[in-house]
Amino acid sequence: MAIYSFWIFDRHCNCIFDREWTLKAKQSSGVVNSKQNEDTAKLLFGMIFSLKSICRKLGNEDVSNEIRTIATGKYRVHVLTTASGLWLVLLTDVQQKNVSEVLHHLYGEIYVPSVAENWLSPIDFAEKEEEKMGQGFRKIQNRYFLRAVEQYLSPMVSR
Amino acid sequence: MAIQTILVINKSGGLVYKKEFLNGGHRLTSNEYLVLAGTLQGVIAIAGQLTPKALQITKNSGIKDVTDQETLVAYAGPLGILESQDMGSFMLPDYFTESFKSWNTSGLKHITTDQLSLFVFQSLTGVKLVAISTQNSISNVAVSIAENLLRKVYCLYADYVMKNPFHEAEMPIKCTLFDKKVAEMVSRL
């Protein structure tokens, strides 16, 4: 199992967190909340968004038909969508089958306590009206959150 | 694995063939299928661009990655083929009996949702075959079975569409024989 990157998108189509590991051998390698990843984040968001709208049409309309994974020849994208419009996206290698528990842990045990229940952290990362149309730049900078994500995901990077 | 729909998308992203196999259930209009084909074409292009940096680095440094060997698709047995069956210009017992190389190395291959999974087979000439199945399994076995099935559909395409003098390249496929053969194969799954 290898994890390549982890992304969070909010309901305003903004990427509010990204972490990319670049070297499998070194768990601390890579970038956090990087400006260079802005374009990649937009592409990733667009890919998931368009596939989501396809899948919504394809399935039975009575039951929800949310997208779970997208696999390519080289990597696999796992998506967890919450009702509040938050997307947690994890890129892993193709061998990796089910990481929905990992995503649920990241949301329930890390994001909710350190960001949603933190009075000092903004709940909505778009402060102005013009940041709500996918133009936002604010990221999760919360130290506790960053450390918890690192502690939880790093052991899986090269496993 | 119940196949719900099979689609053929040409190299410019247009839908040239669609066939639904399951009765009842939710139906898409032909227009929605056209949109679906166009979107898939776009996503296939984007998915290649999104290759993680970690993979790009191992590729540049010349280290053989595990994923390089994974492009070989195992032969999954005589799926949807009967003995003593008319195989067109192919010889019995099957269209192919060995594992084959997947041409789709970095593009989109497999999507799973809560209810369905969608498989994409790409040929070297840019034709994309899409199968939508009602099983949402994530396993790599399902992917290789689907790729086997789609390669067989591609063999039918080579036989009954490309050898049809009335078929125009890149235009919608209207070949009754192709239609019949695909339906036969899927019904035997």
Side-chain angles (χ1 to χ4, degrees), chain A residues 17-32:
Chain A
F17 181 73
D18 65 78
R19 172 78 175 99
E20 181 160 31
W21 289 269
T22 40
L23 296 172
K24 262 190 205 170
K26 205 174 164 210
Q27 292 171 1
S28 58
S29 67
V31 287
V32 188

Side-chain angles (χ1 to χ4, degrees), chain A residues 23-141:
Chain A
L23 296 172
K24 262 190 205 170
K26 205 174 164 210
Q27 292 171 1
S28 58
S29 67
V31 287
V32 188
N33 287 339
S34 148
K35 268 254 185 281
Q36 291 172 345
N37 270 344
E38 263 179 7
D39 288 342
T40 319
K42 279 179 191 160
L43 279 179
L44 185 66
F45 182 89
M47 179 171 88
I48 299 169
F49 185 87
S50 36
L51 288 178
K52 259 169 109 71
S53 64
I54 289 185
C55 293
R56 207 170 296 134
K57 281 183 207 154
L58 270 178
N60 188 345
E61 275 176 339
D62 308 332
V63 203
S64 81
N65 191 25
E66 283 298 334
I67 195 149
R68 281 186 186 168
T69 69
I70 304 160
T72 71
K74 294 215 164 85
Y75 59 95
R76 200 189 286 272
V77 184
H78 303 259
V79 190
L80 172 73
T81 15
T82 70
S84 52
L86 205 69
W87 299 0
L88 286 90
V89 181
L90 198 64
L91 265 72
T92 68
D93 62 356
V94 199
Q95 277 79 28
Q96 199 49 45
K97 303 228 169 72
N98 201 347
V99 299
S100 65
E101 282 143 32
V102 173
L103 285 170
H104 276 288
H105 182 94
L106 282 165
Y107 179 62
E109 309 291 327
I110 297 176
Y111 178 85
V112 170
S114 65
V115 179
E117 291 177 354
N118 182 349
W119 283 32
L120 296 174
S121 156
I123 295 168
D124 200 336
F125 284 81
E127 287 176 7
K128 295 186 199 110
E129 203 52 46
E130 60 262 29
E131 287 170 21
K132 292 189 175 171
M133 312 297 286
Q135 302 293 318
F137 51 87
R138 282 164 227 279
K139 305 267 185 183
I140 303 180
Q141 303 286 8

Side-chain angles (χ1 to χ4, degrees), chain B residues 24-36:
Chain B
H26 179 59
R27 291 289 166 137
L28 271 78
T29 61
S30 340
N31 226 347
E32 282 175 315
Y33 270 116
L34 277 174
V35 173
L36 189 150

Side-chain angles (χ1 to χ4, degrees), chain B residues 82-96:
Chain B
L82 279 186
E83 275 180 51
S84 70
Q85 180 199 348
D86 174 28
M87 301 276 291
S89 55
F90 292 86
M91 301 274 274
L92 281 168
D94 201 348
Y95 289 101
F96 51 93

Side-chain angles (χ1 to χ4, degrees), chain B residues 30-182:
Chain B
S30 340
N31 226 347
E32 282 175 315
Y33 270 116
L34 277 174
V35 173
L36 189 150
T39 318
L40 274 180
Q41 171 84 3
V43 169
I44 288 168
I46 293 176
Q49 299 254 309
L50 277 172
T51 309
K53 281 201 196 77
L55 284 178
Q56 291 172 11
I57 289 170
T58 41
K59 200 186 172 194
N60 292 340
S61 59
I63 303 166
K64 259 272 188 231
D65 205 57
V66 207
T67 44
D68 285 349
Q69 296 144 20
E70 293 290 310
T71 50
L72 213 63
V73 182
Y75 171 63
L79 282 171
I81 301 291
L82 279 186
E83 275 180 51
S84 70
Q85 180 199 348
D86 174 28
M87 301 276 291
S89 55
F90 292 86
M91 301 274 274
L92 281 168
D94 201 348
Y95 289 101
F96 51 93
T97 47
E98 278 166 359
S99 48
F100 56 95
K101 199 180 157 204
S102 169
W103 290 112
N104 181 5
T105 50
S106 60
L108 186 71
K109 248 187 183 171
H110 178 203
I111 301 167
T112 57
T113 72
D114 290 334
Q115 296 170 30
L116 314 156
S117 53
L118 191 147
F119 303 94
V120 182
F121 173 89
Q122 256 180 299
S123 80
L124 202 54
T125 48
V127 179
K128 284 159 279 281
L129 301 165
V130 180
I132 302 169
S133 107
T134 51
Q135 183 202 42
N136 68 345
S137 155
I138 210 172
S139 79
N140 290 341
V141 179
V143 180
S144 87
I145 290 177
E147 272 196 77
N148 269 271
L149 171 76
L150 287 176
R151 189 176 167 201
K152 282 177 188 175
V153 177
Y154 187 56
C155 291
L156 291 175
Y157 174 85
D159 234 13
Y160 298 107
V161 179
M162 296 325 282
K163 291 178 189 170
N164 183 350
F166 299 106
H167 172 70
E168 276 182 71
E170 312 284 298
M171 284 311 203
I173 297 167
K174 290 191 184 80
C175 304
T176 31
L177 260 178
F178 177 67
D179 231 27
K180 206 179 104 199
K181 293 282 174 181
V182 171

